[in-house]
């Protein structure tokens, strides 16, 4: 659910503590000829074979467990949610790959224990968030570049509810985009334009959940800057300073810990610029 299915005709491997599975989807149209018997014997959500309006997903799954010398390979048929199948009625049917005439085992979302269903839902949301994140981040950067100074008595943007949905990404764009001293074509935003973006973000009054999302995005960005072998210390210092304005209540614990680890490891890259950046992060150097 979190990483999505592989393309038809290809294989993807998913691993968890204690288990690993290779999922191979049939090539487009392959199940029509090869697995008509399986589909005919598989009830849909309404208890009838097949399912009008439902596109079946078929393939092979090879499961490996630590204490098994040989894995188990099954053929599967998935009835995904669709016009004739509700999300809770979405069903997977499996039978041993080497025994096509063996009885099939079938399980729907409604059959799963509550904790398993909630874990699956959470994975689905994480996957959707990761898929949309690059597009939303790019949209926020582009939108900020088009924000003009507010006119007299203006204190909000038109359709501000749409802007509010982008609050975490807008805040991240303000942290990652350093304002330029001179405005020129293709240059980053000027100091005035950056301040206008900050005023816009504050006017949106992000909710606690949106602020949490913003803090998570900023934390991940700062940790990425610290993870490279030779960090751009000046760039990191600038991002830290901008974070203090964008998110005054940001929790620095994870970033400070990573900085401390680099300083304690006698990192060759941790020279005077690194110590200066550590000072900006609150260390006494």
């Amino acid at each position: 659910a979190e990483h999505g299915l592989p393309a038809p005709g290809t294989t993807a491997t998913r691993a968890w503590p204690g288990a690993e599975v290779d999922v191979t989807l049939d090539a487009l149209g392959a199940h029509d000829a090869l697995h008509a018997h399986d589909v005919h014997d598989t009830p849909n959500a309404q208890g009838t074979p097949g399912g009008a309006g439902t596109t079946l997903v078929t393939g092979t799954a090879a499961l490996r467990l630590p204490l098994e010398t040989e894995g188990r390979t099954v053929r599967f048929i998935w009835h995904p949610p669709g016009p004739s199948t509700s999300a809770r009625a979405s069903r997977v049917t499996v039978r041993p790959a080497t025994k096509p005439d063996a009885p099939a085992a079938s399980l729907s979302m409604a059959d799963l224990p509550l904790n398993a269903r909630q874990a699956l839902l959470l994975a689905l949301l994480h996957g959707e968030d990761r898929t949309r994140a690059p597009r939303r981040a790019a949209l926020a950067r582009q939108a900020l570049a088009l924000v003009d100074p507010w006119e007299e008595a203006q204190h909000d943007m038109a359709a501000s509810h749409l802007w509010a949905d982008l609050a975490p990404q807008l805040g991240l764009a303000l942290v990652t985009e350093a304002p330029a001293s001179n405005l020129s074509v293709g240059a980053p935003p000027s100091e005035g334009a950056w301040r206008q973006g900050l005023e816009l973000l504050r006017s949106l009054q992000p909710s606690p959940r949106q602020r949490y999302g913003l803090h998570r995005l900023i934390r991940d960005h700062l940790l990425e800057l610290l993870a490279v072998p030779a960090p751009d210390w000046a760039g990191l210092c600038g991002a830290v300073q901008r974070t203090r304005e964008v998110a005054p209540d940001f929790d620095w614990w994870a970033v400070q810990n990573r900085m401390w680890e680099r300083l304690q490891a006698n990192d060759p890259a941790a020279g005077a610029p690194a110590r200066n950046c550590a000072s900006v992060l609150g260390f006494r150097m």
Side-chain angles (χ1 to χ4, degrees):
E2 183 171 353
H3 300 279
L5 290 170
T10 64
T11 300
T13 299
R14 302 288 179 250
W16 302 269
E20 189 175 83
V21 62
D22 297 328
V23 177
T24 304
L25 292 194
D26 293 336
L28 291 176
H31 66 80
D32 294 340
L34 297 177
H35 309 292
H37 177 266
D38 289 348
V39 173
H40 179 76
D41 288 347
T42 303
N44 70 354
Q46 288 71 38
T48 58
T54 301
T55 301
L56 301 181
V57 178
T58 66
T60 302
L63 176 66
R64 294 181 296 278
L65 300 176
L67 300 181
E68 292 183 343
T69 56
E70 296 183 2
R72 288 174 285 173
T73 302
V74 298
R75 292 286 312 167
F76 69 83
I77 301 171
W78 175 38
H79 293 261
S84 62
T85 306
S86 69
R88 283 183 176 269
S90 176
R91 179 175 296 273
V92 175
T93 302
V94 300
R95 54 166 44 95
T98 58
K99 300 177 181 178
D101 294 327
S106 182
L107 191 71
S108 73
M109 285 290 295
D111 298 327
L112 291 174
L114 175 62
N115 60 340
R117 197 160 53 243
Q118 290 179 337
L120 186 60
L121 177 59
L122 184 60
L124 179 64
L125 294 176
H126 278 308
E128 179 66 12
D129 179 64
R130 185 174 55 252
T131 300
R132 297 174 60 198
R135 184 173 182 273
R136 292 178 68 82
L139 175 60
R141 291 194 303 270
Q142 295 162 4
L144 278 177
L146 296 174
V147 173
D148 293 315
W150 285 349
E151 298 179 349
E152 184 178 356
Q154 182 182 1
H155 62 276
D156 202 355
M157 297 292 290
S160 59
H161 65 286
L162 299 178
W163 287 91
D165 289 341
L166 278 176
Q169 290 77 19
L170 291 171
L172 179 64
L174 290 169
V175 169
T176 59
E177 296 286 335
S181 56
N182 296 309
L183 186 60
S184 60
V185 176
S190 66
E191 178 69 22
W194 190 89
R195 292 282 164 194
Q196 178 64 46
L198 181 60
E199 183 67 19
L200 166 62
L201 178 65
R202 289 172 175 171
S203 74
L204 297 175
Q205 302 179 7
S207 69
R209 288 187 178 90
Q210 289 173 323
R211 287 200 301 274
Y212 172 79
L214 169 60
H215 292 184
R216 181 175 57 83
L217 291 175
I218 293 176
R219 181 201 63 204
D220 292 347
H221 173 67
L222 296 177
L223 291 178
E224 285 178 7
L225 294 180
L226 276 168
V228 298
D232 175 5
W233 296 113
L236 176 61
C237 285
V240 169
Q241 292 166 337
R242 291 189 294 277
T243 296
R244 295 194 189 283
E245 294 199 69
V246 172
D249 55 343
F250 180 72
D251 184 355
W252 293 97
W253 183 82
V255 179
Q256 289 171 331
N257 270 2
R258 185 67 187 102
M259 187 71 197
W260 176 256
E261 290 172 357
R262 294 209 66 147
L263 294 173
Q264 293 301 303
N266 294 320
D267 192 334
R275 291 193 295 273
N276 178 59
C277 200
S279 298
V280 174
L281 278 168
F283 291 91
R284 291 184 179 181
M285 303 302 295

